[in-house]
């Protein structure tokens, strides 16, 4: 079967030639730099851990006087020039990778949900894909298997392509499903609010401490997901205009009717999640409150052996900020991970790792 190029050549009466790539000058005062570009409109090409990759390679780049620069929004020919003058291209496996390879510029490129041999063969570039040995690629643009690629693999490939003889000592142990989401949790046990959180979504942990005035203040200032363990006066809801969701921790075995409270929330279009605590029969609660979203409290996972963690959560209590609820309870703001009752329940928001 003829290729598309051959068909065009035959139909148009022209010869197949070798393509040329041209570039236009783009001013840049930095001599030694590597360029990167992870921008994409495809969900399958959205990599969540680039910030970790940067943190791993930055000390070695600084040591070798190499700058890390994002490819600016410029004309394609200027972009060609920018890549040509760089030491390395990092990003998605796309036309930028081909441009870099044309100029014999090393590259480290992520290929999302297809096999490496489906991409153009490269002379000096390094292609990294998820592990397809067990689960084959689906070729679906909505699949985010790109996030199966560990940051340390990318970081080591970058050092190798730059011929920097160093080893990345970072080893991923477990990545929580919601780690990449930035979360702010407030225990309302201190007065005052932060201007940075105005009209921003926050979690207010009324299940850990109940101070009505502080809670009302937050519900007037930020968009609040409120955690509670019992009902409160429904008349107070009129003073909580930015209360968007209530997570009700259902933990009493008494047959106390909470229907009026739940109905008022529904009437005010405040979302309700009833979280049934352990040792209670969730089926009975679902039968009683079948009009609402009733879920079971997440069960703690078995102990995980890890010594370090990363978190995008900000947990504020007593006027101080911590990286997790567990850290707050231990009054430890370091990156040391301790498996305890609190950390076992927030694993999905943590990135656990070791330093080898």
């Amino acid at each position: 079967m003829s290729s598309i190029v051959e068909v065009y050549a035959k139909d148009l009466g022209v010869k197949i030639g070798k393509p040329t790539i041209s570039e236009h000058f783009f001013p840049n005062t930095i001599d030694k730099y590597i360029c990167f570009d992870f921008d994409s409109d495809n969900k399958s090409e959205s990599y969540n851990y680039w910030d970790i990759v940067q943190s791993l390679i930055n000390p070695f780049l600084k040591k070798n006087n190499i700058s890390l620069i994002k490819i600016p929004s410029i004309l394609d020919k200027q972009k060609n020039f920018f890549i040509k003058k760089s030491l390395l291209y990092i990003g998605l496996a796309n036309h930028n990778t081909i441009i870099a390879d044309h100029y014999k510029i090393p590259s480290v490129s992520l290929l999302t949900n297809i096999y490496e041999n489906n991409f153009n063969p490269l002379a000096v570039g390094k292609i990294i894909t998820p592990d397809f040995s067990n689960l084959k690629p689906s070729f679906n643009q909505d699949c985010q298997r790109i996030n199966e690629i560990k940051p340390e693999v990318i970081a080591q490939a970058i050092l190798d392509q730059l011929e920097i003889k160093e080893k990345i000592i970072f080893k991923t142990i477990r990545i929580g499903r919601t780690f990449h989401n930035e979360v702010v949790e407030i225990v309302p046990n201190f007065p005052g609010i932060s201007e940075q959180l105005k009209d921003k979504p926050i979690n207010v942990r009324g299940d850990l401490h109940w101070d009505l005035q502080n809670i009302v203040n937050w519900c007037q200032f930020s968009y609040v997901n409120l955690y509670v363990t019992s009902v409160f006066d429904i008349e107070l809801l009129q003073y909580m205009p930015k209360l968007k969701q209530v997570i009700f921790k259902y933990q009493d075995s008494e047959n106390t009717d909470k229907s009026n409270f739940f109905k008022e929330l529904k009437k005010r279009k405040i979302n309700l999640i009833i979280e049934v605590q352990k040792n209670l029969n969730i089926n009975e609660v679902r039968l009683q409150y079948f009009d609402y979203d009733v879920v079971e409290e997440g069960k703690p996972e078995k102990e995980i052996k890890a010594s370090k963690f990363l978190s995008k959560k900000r947990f504020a209590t007593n006027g101080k900020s911590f990286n997790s609820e567990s850290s707050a309870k231990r009054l430890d703001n370091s990156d040391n991970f301790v498996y305890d009752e609190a950390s076992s329940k927030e694993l999905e928001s943590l990135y656990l790792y070791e330093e080898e």
Side-chain angles (χ1 to χ4, degrees):
M1 180 180 292
S2 300
S3 69
I4 295 177
V5 174
E6 291 171 335
V7 172
Y8 273 120
K10 179 181 177 181
D11 291 347
L12 299 176
V14 296
K15 293 183 179 180
I16 300 174
K18 185 177 180 180
T20 60
I21 297 177
S22 60
E23 68 269 352
H24 282 173
F25 172 78
F26 181 77
N28 182 18
T29 59
I30 301 174
D31 294 328
K32 295 177 63 177
Y33 67 92
I34 59 179
C35 59
F36 71 93
D37 186 6
F38 278 96
D39 291 345
S40 175
D41 294 329
N42 293 333
K43 184 178 179 181
S44 64
E45 296 180 331
S46 178
Y47 188 65
N48 293 333
Y49 312 119
W50 172 235
D51 56 337
I52 299 178
V53 176
Q54 284 184 280
S55 68
L56 294 177
I57 64 175
N58 276 338
F60 304 107
L61 298 183
K62 186 176 180 180
K63 183 178 178 181
N64 289 272
N65 297 317
I66 300 174
S67 299
L68 180 64
I69 307 177
K70 187 181 187 304
I71 297 178
S73 297
I74 51 181
L75 298 176
D76 287 342
K77 289 185 178 181
Q78 290 177 314
K79 185 182 295 185
N80 296 345
F81 180 87
F82 194 81
I83 293 174
K84 179 181 179 180
K85 295 299 182 179
S86 69
L87 300 177
L88 176 75
Y89 164 74
I90 312 168
L92 301 171
N94 53 27
H95 62 284
N96 289 334
T97 305
I98 304 299
I99 295 297
D101 210 62
H102 171 79
Y103 291 123
K104 300 298 185 291
I105 300 298
S107 63
V108 175
S109 305
L110 307 189
L111 197 57
T112 58
N113 202 28
I114 60 175
Y115 291 109
E116 179 180 351
N117 55 14
N118 291 129
F119 195 76
N120 295 39
L122 301 177
V124 294
K126 170 70 174 177
I127 295 289
I128 302 177
T129 69
D131 183 2
F132 295 134
S133 58
N134 294 320
L135 182 62
K136 307 305 179 185
S138 66
F139 306 97
N140 187 336
Q141 288 193 348
D142 291 330
C143 179
Q144 281 191 297
R145 293 196 63 188
I146 189 174
N147 288 311
E148 295 176 16
I149 302 174
K150 296 178 179 178
E152 61 265 35
V153 174
I154 301 173
Q156 189 63 61
I158 291 171
L159 297 187
D160 293 344
Q161 287 290 76
L162 291 171
E163 297 184 350
I164 296 177
K165 306 300 182 182
E166 300 282 358
K167 179 174 175 56
I168 298 296
I169 61 173
F170 183 100
K171 180 182 178 181
T172 298
I173 302 298
R174 185 186 187 280
I175 306 176
R177 289 192 298 269
T178 60
F179 160 74
H180 58 282
N181 297 330
E182 294 186 358
V183 177
V184 176
E185 291 197 348
I186 307 289
V187 179
N189 55 8
F190 61 97
I193 52 180
S194 170
E195 287 295 330
Q196 294 179 338
L197 297 176
K198 183 174 177 57
D199 294 331
K200 298 293 180 60
I202 64 171
N203 298 333
V204 175
R205 298 297 301 272
D207 57 322
L208 299 179
H209 181 87
W210 187 261
D211 186 305
L212 183 58
Q213 187 58 58
N214 286 342
I215 291 173
V216 169
N217 289 342
W218 280 111
C219 290
Q220 294 175 349
F221 190 76
S222 302
Y223 295 109
V224 171
N225 298 317
L226 177 61
Y227 289 75
V228 299
T229 57
S230 62
V231 299
F232 55 87
D233 187 354
I234 59 177
E235 295 298 324
L236 295 173
L237 293 174
Q238 64 182 309
Y239 304 109
M240 302 178 176
K242 295 183 179 180
L243 177 60
K244 295 300 180 182
Q245 179 170 263
V246 171
I247 298 90
F248 189 95
K249 294 198 170 186
Y250 194 100
Q251 57 187 2
D252 61 6
S253 57
E254 301 176 1
N255 190 22
T256 305
D257 187 18
K258 303 169 179 62
S259 298
N260 289 337
F261 179 71
F262 293 166
K263 287 179 180 178
E264 187 63 24
L265 293 177
K266 187 174 183 180
K267 178 181 176 182
R268 293 176 178 270
K269 297 183 180 181
I270 299 172
N271 190 49
L272 170 66
I273 297 176
I274 303 174
E275 186 181 86
V276 181
Q277 305 301 287
K278 56 186 178 181
N279 301 325
L280 292 179
N281 190 328
I282 188 173
N283 293 326
E284 291 182 359
V285 181
R286 282 175 173 163
L287 181 62
Q288 186 175 3
Y289 301 109
F290 58 86
D291 282 340
Y292 305 99
D293 188 8
V294 179
V295 300
E296 192 172 15
E297 179 189 23
K299 296 180 180 179
E301 292 195 17
K302 293 181 179 179
E303 183 173 357
I304 297 177
K305 301 294 185 181
S307 62
K308 302 288 185 179
F309 81 99
L310 299 172
S311 173
K312 295 185 179 180
K313 175 188 285 188
R314 293 296 173 262
F315 189 90
T317 180
N318 293 317
K320 297 181 180 180
S321 179
F322 296 86
N323 293 326
S324 69
E325 181 179 348
S326 173
S327 298
K329 291 186 174 180
R330 293 183 282 109
L331 298 178
D332 180 6
N333 228 342
S334 71
D335 59 356
N336 295 325
F337 175 74
V338 175
Y339 183 87
D340 54 24
E341 183 180 359
S343 64
S344 69
K345 295 180 180 179
E346 57 182 351
L347 286 176
E348 294 307 328
S349 65
L350 304 180
Y351 191 118
L352 306 184
Y353 69 97
E354 293 282 2
E355 291 181 341
E356 296 180 321

